Amino acid sequence: MADITPFQINVPDSQIEDLKTRLSLAKFPDELDQAGWDMGAPLGDVKRLVAYWKDKYDWRKAEAEMNKFPQYTTTIQAEGFEPLNVHFVWRKSSVENAIPLLLVHGWPGGCWEFAKMFDKLVDGDGTNDPAFDVVLISLPNYGFSQGTKKRGFAIEQYAETCNKLMLKLGYGEYVTQGGDWGFYITRAMSLMYPQHVKATHLNFDFGSAPTWSQHPLLSLQHAVTPYSTREKKGLARAQWFQEEGSGYRTEQGTKPQTLGYGLTDSPVALLAWIYEKLHDWTDDYPFTDDEVCTWISLYWFSKAGPAANVRIYYEAIHSWNKPSEGKITRERVAEYIPHVKIGYSHQPAELRPVPKTWVKKLGNIVFDRDSEKGGHFFAYEMPDQLVKDLRDMFRKGGGAYGVVRGKKGYKEVAKL
Amino acid sequence: MAEIEAFTVLFPEQRISQLKQRLQQALFPDELPDSGWDMGTPLSDIERIAKHWASKFDFQQAAAQLNELPQFKTKIDCEGFDPLSIHFVHLRSDNPNAIPLFFSHGWPGSFFEVYKIARQLTRSDNGGPCFHVVAPSLPNFGFSDGVKKRGFAIEQYATVCNQLMLKLGYERYVTQGGDWGEPPASLKSTQPGSRFPLPDGATPRELQGAQRTAWFLDEGYGYNLLQSTKPQTLAYALADSPLALLAWISEKLHDWTDNYPWTDDEICLWVSIYYFSTAGPAAATRIYYEMAHDRNGKYVPKDSMGKGFEGGVPGTQKITGAYLKKDHGTGVKIGMSHFPMDIQVLPSLYTNTLGNVVYEKEHERGGHFAAHECPDELASDLREMFGALDLRSA
């Protein structure tokens, strides 16, 4: 394990000063009367956040908090690509047979979305609750991981990078948690590495109605069961996302470079671009200005630069659209994947909440829980709930108990 | 008419030096090698043009170029909104019987698109009809006022444009603008590579056009969906970073034209009209949002017919894009000029459903900004079309 190097975040003073200078020179657009949130991030909010970011926000304080977590970097190389320096947070539980757990973020997230869960998961007492060895990866192109300089780094490559990291840390078998791109990546890992990935927990609803030809029983169930109130609301939310909330995805999926100029040259542009999602994609989460500024700063100060993170959309979507054998497609991850046990947590403010029968298509669902609250950034909005869900999924009697050989998450009871 | 004032384009010195300073402090992203134009405007182009804009582009000379055509401003009322000061080019022919022609730009174009055809259209020595040319900056664009309230949609744009022509004394006039169409319901089958059914016996133009349209919808539609849903989020980038504005617009200048040899000066001029616009660079994108939403802010699907315009007070009904694509029996004569590298290139069978299509011309070259790319062809089409019509009849 020679090249697993401890890491501390240390953004140079010059970068912090440069940010403040840019914020002080910011030029703002106008706004139409009564635009509210309909047309995008409101002017009043953005101006307030920019002023706070410039004058009151203390990056060094946030940095120090993050540096309390044990961070490392190591080199991982996906086949056909250059070696990349990958950043991650990692702690082994004091419970010897803790379950190795990799949590994978998406966009516009980061490994720090899981920070509030980290210690609780690792410090499960191994008697009443299972314990985990927890790895929070910063995906290539995100956070303090390096970005790739080659075209074609798509879902398979992210999956390969994640798997190689876990193997490098000594985990031949492990489990995963993910939403957003973390959903696609961990599903791809389930397909590519069934010998390594034993269970996946997902917090991202995805899928389509079961068809008669492929899922006759589910299709029948879907046909005869009326949608619950929750499911109807979920479909309305999904419609909103499709109609009103998909511009970012289409642009990032086709012209990320054009978008990248604004995200790189203007911290205000970056702030608005991401802040709109922090509002629209959460369940009225009461972000403080500090929280928002830390979130955006992680993108502004990212190692690969603010333009790199959106490329995943372009690469994934173009890879999916190229019909060729063996490629992980969007359709494939929405269909049944065998061998891997699946746990699901559903939030009412997720982007495309889907009816229950649709979810069952995805595989062997051993844990399924509806949350009364929460949105897309579940781990950040409701960390205690997600900790509970993971513990319940993997505890004794839980659907995924004992999936990893020899690592059930509990203290060994001395046999007399 | 005391209230029609002469207008001269002037780029203010202070704002020019602010722009230059801002460009010199710009931060550039990296770029993936071999991405060409696939992923957006290439880094080398942006670096070069930004440098040109900051150090070589001659704003005085550009203003002088814009001032070659006579321009004016006048206030136009629009029910439900504050009166708007509308900027326009007005070039009269020497021939008093010339046909009044209203020329409409789009996004990311401007009144400047008319410059290569305006003078030749006013001349009566071309063996065809001649025109009085009116080319405004649309509200929210160029040197016209911006709108401050929600709901300024197609009816409002049409009202303002019509009022302008009436104010100039043109009760009856003709217009020039872009091309649309809608597949007739009778067509069902779809060829590979086409996003809509192609008619039997589709011409090479129509086959190639289907591919071009598919490209536009698959690879070139992000700006449209974003501007139709979250123009305010985009606005921060366009307002705060001239680099963002440059990239956003120059991508279309490249992608939507037929290898038009843009000079750096031309691009800087086109983008400067947005940067120095009266309403600010972000306002121009709001037309997309207003087209996609009804008066209550509810999303209007692309195929929704809305309520249309049933006469009476403009602004009381909702005209949708789908509504505009249908023939409403108004009898207005339509001429179509087809350019191969436009962004939606449709079979004649479709475009003929727009209404009373009396003229059609296919071109071998040219794209979305036809008046700027192929001025002689477009001017010739206009003379041909209107020369054949007896416009004095109803």
Side-chain angles (χ1 to χ4, degrees):
Chain A
M1 301 241 224
D3 85 313
I4 296 178
T5 315
F7 177 86
Q8 291 275 278
I9 306 167
N10 189 10
V11 172
D13 283 332
S14 58
Q15 255 198 297
I16 301 173
E17 283 317 304
D18 175 79
L19 169 62
K20 289 190 199 237
T21 306
R22 280 171 202 284
L23 292 170
S24 69
L25 295 171
K27 281 192 157 31
F28 294 92
D30 69 347
E31 183 183 59
L32 295 187
D33 293 344
Q34 301 181 313
W37 278 93
D38 293 352
M39 299 176 80
L43 184 60
D45 281 47
V46 173
K47 278 186 161 168
R48 187 195 77 244
L49 285 163
V50 166
Y52 187 85
W53 200 11
K54 171 170 65 84
D55 297 326
K56 299 230 176 58
Y57 176 69
D58 186 348
W59 165 259
R60 290 291 180 215
K61 180 160 168 246
E63 195 180 67
E65 284 300 309
M66 286 184 275
N67 281 338
K68 289 180 183 167
F69 288 80
Q71 300 164 73
Y72 305 87
T73 57
T74 191
T75 304
I76 306 274
Q77 183 169 17
E79 196 175 317
F81 290 82
E82 76 275 40
L84 294 176
N85 194 247
V86 174
H87 164 269
F88 59 102
V89 181
W90 178 40
R91 185 152 71 86
K92 291 169 76 76
S93 175
S94 57
V95 172
E96 205 181 310
N97 298 319
I99 309 163
L101 167 65
L102 171 73
L103 296 104
V104 186
H105 68 85
W107 185 91
C111 70
W112 302 104
E113 282 179 74
F114 307 106
K116 295 185 256 185
M117 297 167 50
F118 186 79
D119 288 336
K120 282 207 172 83
L121 287 169
V122 177
D123 297 332
D125 62 10
T127 305
N128 299 305
D129 292 308
F132 300 85
D133 284 359
V134 177
V135 181
L136 311 176
I137 186 174
S138 293
L139 293 171
N141 288 324
Y142 288 78
F144 299 106
S145 284
Q146 205 176 351
T148 176
K149 297 286 189 182
K150 232 182 127 174
R151 287 183 76 167
F153 198 98
I155 297 304
E156 289 95 326
Q157 284 69 41
Y158 285 101
E160 190 182 339
T161 303
C162 289
N163 182 58
K164 280 182 165 161
L165 176 62
M166 291 305 272
L167 296 181
K168 195 167 193 179
L169 299 180
Y171 302 124
E173 292 184 356
Y174 57 88
V175 303
T176 68
Q177 199 291 322
D180 196 87
W181 286 110
F183 166 89
Y184 295 97
I185 292 166
T186 56
R187 290 285 282 173
M189 291 165 78
S190 308
L191 281 168
M192 291 161 72
Y193 311 113
Q195 72 278 41
H196 299 307
V197 181
K198 297 311 196 185
T200 58
H201 178 275
L202 306 163
N203 64 288
F204 182 67
D205 272 19
F206 185 74
S208 52
T211 57
W212 180 252
S213 54
Q214 288 189 291
H215 305 273
L217 284 178
L218 277 176
S219 175
L220 178 62
Q221 195 184 348
H222 178 232
V224 301
T225 317
Y227 289 145
S228 65
T229 308
R230 184 185 169 115
E231 286 173 330
K232 282 188 202 151
K233 278 191 176 154
L235 288 168
R237 172 91 170 156
Q239 190 177 358
W240 161 82
F241 178 65
Q242 182 63 28
E243 291 175 348
E244 298 280 14
S246 293
Y248 82 99
R249 191 174 79 247
T250 308
E251 182 65 13
Q252 291 175 185
T254 54
K255 303 290 173 202
Q257 187 67 18
T258 297
L259 186 63
Y261 296 102
L263 299 179
T264 307
D265 186 44
S266 167
V268 181
L270 181 70
L271 170 76
W273 195 251
I274 293 177
Y275 177 62
E276 181 211 287
K277 304 313 182 195
L278 300 185
H279 170 270
D280 284 0
W281 292 4
T282 56
D283 194 358
D284 282 330
Y285 179 80
F287 281 98
T288 62
D289 289 352
D290 265 328
E291 279 179 294
V292 176
C293 289
T294 297
W295 200 296
I296 314 295
S297 295
L298 283 163
Y299 272 76
W300 183 256
F301 294 133
S302 62
K303 185 172 176 131
N309 54 84
V310 294
R311 290 172 187 153
I312 189 173
Y313 287 81
Y314 182 94
E315 301 293 13
I317 291 167
H318 282 81
S319 172
W320 286 334
N321 289 342
K322 267 192 265 168
S324 72
E325 272 225 31
K327 273 220 182 281
I328 309 269
T329 61
R330 196 161 182 269
E331 286 72 31
R332 184 62 191 92
V333 303
E335 288 296 332
Y336 197 92
I337 296 178
H339 311 309
V340 180
K341 293 191 168 154
I342 296 174
Y344 237 114
S345 297
H346 307 284
Q347 290 65 253
E350 184 49 89
L351 304 178
R352 294 191 206 92
V354 300
K356 284 285 174 210
T357 45
W358 301 20
V359 174
K360 293 199 208 301
K361 275 170 56 179
L362 292 172
N364 180 15
I365 313 279
V366 301
F367 174 88
D368 195 5
R369 177 175 285 161
D370 286 341
S371 174
E372 286 312 301
K373 270 193 69 61
H376 187 68
F377 299 105
F378 190 42
Y380 192 84
E381 294 176 67
M382 303 181 66
D384 291 345
Q385 183 61 49
L386 183 50
V387 166
K388 182 168 179 359
D389 290 355
L390 284 166
R391 284 176 172 175
D392 288 346
M393 178 178 171
F394 289 99
R395 70 169 67 262
K396 280 179 181 159
Y401 175 65
V403 283
V404 176
R405 268 178 306 184
K407 293 187 186 227
K408 297 186 161 111
Y410 288 84
K411 288 182 176 152
E412 291 218 330
V413 178
K415 291 189 166 63
L416 298 172
Chain B
M1 293 225 198
E3 17 147 47
I4 298 181
E5 297 169 350
F7 176 82
T8 310
V9 176
L10 175 73
F11 295 115
E13 268 311 315
Q14 199 201 17
R15 290 206 60 208
I16 293 173
S17 51
Q18 275 177 354
L19 167 63
K20 290 182 189 220
Q21 229 184 354
R22 183 69 183 82
L23 285 168
Q24 267 138 19
Q25 290 156 356
L27 282 173
F28 293 84
D30 69 346
E31 181 184 58
L32 297 187
D34 304 324
S35 38
W37 283 89
D38 293 350
M39 297 175 80
T41 318
L43 181 61
S44 58
D45 285 77
I46 293 294
E47 281 176 330
R48 189 193 73 246
I49 301 171
K51 197 163 161 210
H52 185 87
W53 203 12
S55 55
K56 291 224 181 64
F57 182 67
D58 186 340
F59 284 91
Q60 310 273 47
Q61 207 260 322
Q65 191 182 359
L66 294 176
N67 289 326
E68 277 170 15
L69 291 183
Q71 296 159 76
F72 306 88
K73 266 190 154 179
T74 191
K75 270 212 181 331
I76 300 284
D77 287 329
C78 186
E79 175 145 346
F81 294 85
D82 290 340
L84 296 169
S85 173
I86 302 297
H87 158 257
F88 59 100
V89 167
H90 187 195
L91 188 63
R92 287 208 28 113
S93 172
D94 286 336
N95 184 339
N97 296 324
I99 303 165
L101 170 70
F102 175 85
F103 178 93
S104 176
H105 70 83
W107 184 93
S110 70
F111 68 99
F112 181 59
E113 285 179 72
V114 85
Y115 275 52
K116 292 190 195 177
I117 58 169
R119 284 212 188 280
Q120 61 171 302
L121 286 174
T122 59
R123 289 210 310 269
S124 35
D125 55 354
N126 288 336
C130 52
F131 303 84
H132 302 307
V133 176
V134 179
S137 291
L138 294 173
N140 284 329
F141 289 77
F143 303 111
S144 288
D145 279 353
V147 179
K148 299 296 183 189
K149 272 173 68 172
R150 290 177 74 163
F152 198 93
I154 283 297
E155 299 98 308
Q156 286 70 33
Y157 277 97
T159 300
V160 167
C161 294
N162 181 57
Q163 288 296 319
L164 175 64
M165 291 304 274
L166 296 180
K167 194 165 189 180
L168 296 176
Y170 303 127
E171 282 273 325
R172 293 158 58 82
Y173 56 90
V174 302
T175 70
Q176 203 291 321
D179 119 5
W180 265 354
E182 181 79 352
S186 54
L187 290 188
K188 295 269 189 294
S189 65
T190 308
Q191 271 85 331
S194 173
R195 293 288 288 268
F196 47 78
L198 280 171
D200 290 334
T203 65
R205 168 190 94 77
E206 290 170 333
L207 290 168
Q208 183 261 336
Q211 284 179 14
R212 176 73 173 164
T213 307
W215 161 82
F216 173 65
L217 294 171
D218 290 341
E219 296 286 352
Y221 205 69
Y223 83 100
N224 191 309
L225 193 53
L226 186 63
Q227 292 177 182
S228 299
T229 54
K230 303 290 174 200
Q232 188 63 22
T233 297
L234 177 63
Y236 300 100
L238 300 181
D240 190 42
S241 168
L243 219 61
L245 180 68
L246 172 65
W248 200 251
I249 292 177
S250 61
E251 182 207 290
K252 303 313 181 194
L253 302 188
H254 169 272
D255 284 1
W256 294 2
T257 56
D258 193 358
N259 285 313
Y260 178 78
W262 294 96
T263 63
D264 291 348
D265 271 335
E266 267 179 306
I267 296 178
C268 288
L269 177 51
W270 278 57
V271 179
S272 291
I273 291 173
Y274 277 82
Y275 188 80
F276 290 95
S277 60
T278 304
T285 60
R286 290 172 185 151
I287 189 174
Y288 288 81
Y289 183 90
E290 301 296 3
M291 277 295 288
H293 293 80
D294 68 17
R295 299 170 66 77
N296 298 318
K298 186 164 160 17
Y299 185 78
V300 175
K302 286 240 174 311
D303 56 2
S304 160
M305 291 296 289
K307 291 194 178 124
F309 182 75
E310 286 156 22
V313 182
T316 55
Q317 306 296 340
K318 175 66 185 181
I319 297 182
T320 62
Y323 186 89
L324 288 173
K325 292 177 191 177
K326 292 267 181 275
D327 177 4
H328 297 286
T330 59
V332 172
K333 296 182 174 72
I334 299 171
M336 310 283 318
S337 295
H338 301 292
F339 293 92
M341 292 297 267
D342 206 336
I343 50 184
Q344 284 197 119
V345 185
L346 303 170
S348 300
L349 202 55
Y350 292 12
T351 57
N352 288 343
T353 65
L354 271 182
N356 185 15
V357 177
V358 300
Y359 176 85
E360 196 175 8
K361 193 67 171 270
E362 291 188 15
H363 290 277
E364 297 296 306
R365 63 178 197 100
H368 188 66
F369 304 106
H372 191 74
E373 290 178 73
C374 303
D376 294 340
E377 287 92 324
L378 187 64
S380 166
D381 287 358
L382 286 166
R383 282 192 293 267
E384 222 173 52
M385 174 186 172
F386 293 110
L389 296 176
D390 181 0
L391 289 170
R392 289 158 303 176
S393 62

